[in-house]
């Protein structure tokens, strides 16, 4: 696993260095710039949705067997309203614990 | 004169990122806690903070390691998450071209979402390359030190927290908080929705490639929506 971490570290450094170091001041071509704008939302969506609708590998919206879905919906509502990472973590975890205890 | 530009830059950069630490520190804590609580372990979790130094990619790496994903796919996924740095690098390049060679090679290690955001804002009005160089260093180092401390604190904390608390759920919660600001445009929202749905559909994809497949579909959807909207 450490080897993979080092590989990721080197790859990440190279993306950071890219235009500053090797490519000099060359302008970023439009074909590259446009997709890069959607990396963040696409990646985050691809991480978050499976984690809340299928934490055990099967799609499950029922609060009794998968409290993470309802807890995620509550956390999303809080995230839209407050935009504060600490508040989102606190409310989301509290919702999970309460649902876990209730159901 | 030179020494004061350096000191001012360092101080201003550090001050500019300090409000952002309110978001960075809990993120780092979650990272340490989950690393310690999963098969990854605290030591490797701490190592990711200095070797990778990119929160989202580190969290994804820990999540995938924990799920037993093959190392190649873990590397691929983390690099897809981090490919956005190309964008930051291109935007900073004209400013960094005024810096000495050694800084141009060392400072990119400190390039994060937050350091980029504050530096680009400051560079709109700052001219002195010496000041700009140390401003970036001040912002980057403040974030770096805070990140390392938060990770270690999280690992120490995580070792005392029982598994039954379901702390692995803190990972998607962090990403959820990061997601909201980037879905404010219609193509951005579409990219996130398509990315999520395809990742769910591709959950059983071989080698744990589901996340990468979802991300690529979401990026394609975002670009397509932007082009459709322009016409």
């Amino acid at each position: 696993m450490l080897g993979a971490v080092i590989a990721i570290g080197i790859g990440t450094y190279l993306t950071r260095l890219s235009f500053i170091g090797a490519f000099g001041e060359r302008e970023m071509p439009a074909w590259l710039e446009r997709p890069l704008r959607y990396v963040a939302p696409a990646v985050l969506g691809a991480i978050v949705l499976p984690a809340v609708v299928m934490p055990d590998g099967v799609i499950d919206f029922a609060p009794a067997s998968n409290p993470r879905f309802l807890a995620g919906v509550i956390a999303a509502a809080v995230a839209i309203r407050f935009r504060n990472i600490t508040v989102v973590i606190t409310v989301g975890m509290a919702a999970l614990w309460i649902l876990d205890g209730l159901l | 004169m030179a020494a004061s530009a350096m000191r001012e830059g360092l101080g201003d950069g550090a001050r500019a990122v300090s409000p952002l630490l309110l978001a960075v520190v809990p993120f780092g804590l979650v990272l340490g806690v989950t690393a310690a609580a999963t098969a990854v372990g605290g030591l490797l979790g701490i190592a990711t903070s200095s070797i990778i130094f990119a929160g989202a990619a580190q969290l994804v790496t820990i999540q995938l390691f924990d799920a037993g994903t093959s190392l190649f796919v873990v590397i691929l996924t983390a690099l897809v998450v981090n490919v956005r740095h190309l964008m930051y690098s291109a935007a900073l390049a004209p400013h960094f071209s005024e810096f000495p060679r050694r800084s141009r090679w060392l400072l990119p290690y400190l390039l994060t979402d937050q350091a980029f955001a504050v530096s680009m804002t400051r560079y709109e009005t700052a001219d002195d390359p010496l000041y700009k160089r140390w401003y970036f260093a001040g912002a980057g180092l403040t974030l770096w030190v805070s990140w390392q401390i938060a990770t270690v604190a999280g690992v120490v904390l995580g070792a005392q927290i029982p598994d039954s608390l379901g702390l692995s759920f803190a990972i998607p919660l962090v990403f959820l908080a990061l997601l909201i600001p980037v879905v404010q445009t219609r193509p951005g929202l579409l990219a996130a929705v398509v990315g999520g749905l395809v990742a769910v559909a591709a959950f059983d994809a071989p080698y744990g490639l589901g996340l990468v497949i979802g991300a690529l579909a979401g990026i394609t959807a975002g670009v397509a929506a932007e082009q459709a909207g322009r016409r």
Side-chain angles (χ1 to χ4, degrees):
Chain A
M1 288 198 281
L2 182 63
V5 168
I6 292 172
I8 296 165
I10 293 171
T12 302
Y13 172 71
L14 290 177
T15 59
R16 288 169 165 155
L17 178 70
S18 58
F19 284 86
I20 293 168
F23 309 150
E25 264 189 80
R26 215 169 302 171
E27 286 249 327
M28 183 179 284
W31 60 262
L32 183 58
E33 200 228 326
R34 203 167 299 142
L36 282 178
R37 253 182 287 171
Y38 300 105
V39 168
V43 163
L44 293 171
I47 295 170
V48 172
L49 203 61
V52 295
V53 304
M54 50 193 310
D56 298 316
V58 270
I59 297 175
D60 184 1
F61 299 107
S65 49
N66 175 21
R68 292 186 176 205
F69 177 68
L70 187 54
V73 171
I74 294 168
V78 169
I80 292 169
R81 178 74 181 77
F82 293 102
R83 302 270 179 97
N84 178 313
I85 204 164
T86 312
V87 175
V88 175
I89 296 171
T90 310
V91 171
M93 288 310 299
L96 181 69
W97 292 331
I98 291 169
L99 288 169
D100 247 344
L102 287 180
L103 301 163
Chain B
M1 177 64 195
S4 81
M6 172 184 155
R7 222 174 313 118
E8 256 175 61
L10 262 177
D12 289 355
R15 256 191 303 281
V17 292
S18 47
L20 303 179
L21 296 181
L22 278 175
V24 168
V25 168
F27 191 167
L29 282 171
V30 167
L31 182 80
V33 167
T34 48
T38 60
V40 176
L43 270 185
L44 193 65
I46 292 169
T48 63
S49 279
S50 53
I51 298 173
I52 304 174
F53 187 46
Q58 288 174 247
L59 266 191
V60 166
T61 301
I62 286 167
Q63 191 179 320
L64 293 179
F65 273 155
D66 188 44
T69 311
S70 73
L71 295 184
F72 175 74
V73 175
V74 176
I75 296 170
L76 177 71
T77 309
L79 291 181
V80 167
V81 173
N82 274 343
V83 75
R84 69 185 188 287
H85 290 118
L86 288 174
M87 202 164 41
Y88 301 156
S89 188
L92 286 173
H95 302 281
F96 278 41
S97 68
E98 304 164 318
F99 301 169
R101 177 184 290 267
R102 203 163 51 149
S103 301
R104 288 209 309 269
W105 286 85
L106 288 177
L107 290 179
Y109 167 67
L110 296 174
L111 177 50
T112 56
D113 302 303
Q114 295 82 2
F116 171 75
V118 298
S119 298
M120 279 311 282
T121 308
R122 188 70 189 92
Y123 288 177
E124 278 171 23
T125 47
D127 289 321
D128 180 7
L130 188 69
Y131 173 84
K132 284 159 78 176
R133 174 154 60 109
W134 287 101
Y135 185 92
F136 184 88
L141 287 172
T142 304
L143 288 161
W144 192 87
V145 170
S146 314
W147 189 242
Q148 309 306 322
I149 294 172
T151 313
V152 173
V155 165
V156 173
L157 213 67
Q160 342 256 325
I161 297 175
D163 251 9
S164 57
L165 283 183
L167 268 181
S168 62
F169 190 52
I171 297 184
L173 289 175
V174 168
F175 286 123
L176 186 64
L178 298 177
L179 177 64
I180 301 304
V182 296
V183 294
Q184 302 301 315
T185 67
R186 198 181 291 240
L189 181 60
L190 194 72
V193 170
V194 171
L197 291 176
V198 172
V200 167
F203 188 82
D204 290 321
Y207 313 114
L209 277 169
L211 204 168
V212 170
I213 295 170
L216 293 179
I219 293 166
T220 310
V223 172
E226 186 191 310
Q227 275 167 340
R230 204 178 284 156
R231 249 178 272 128

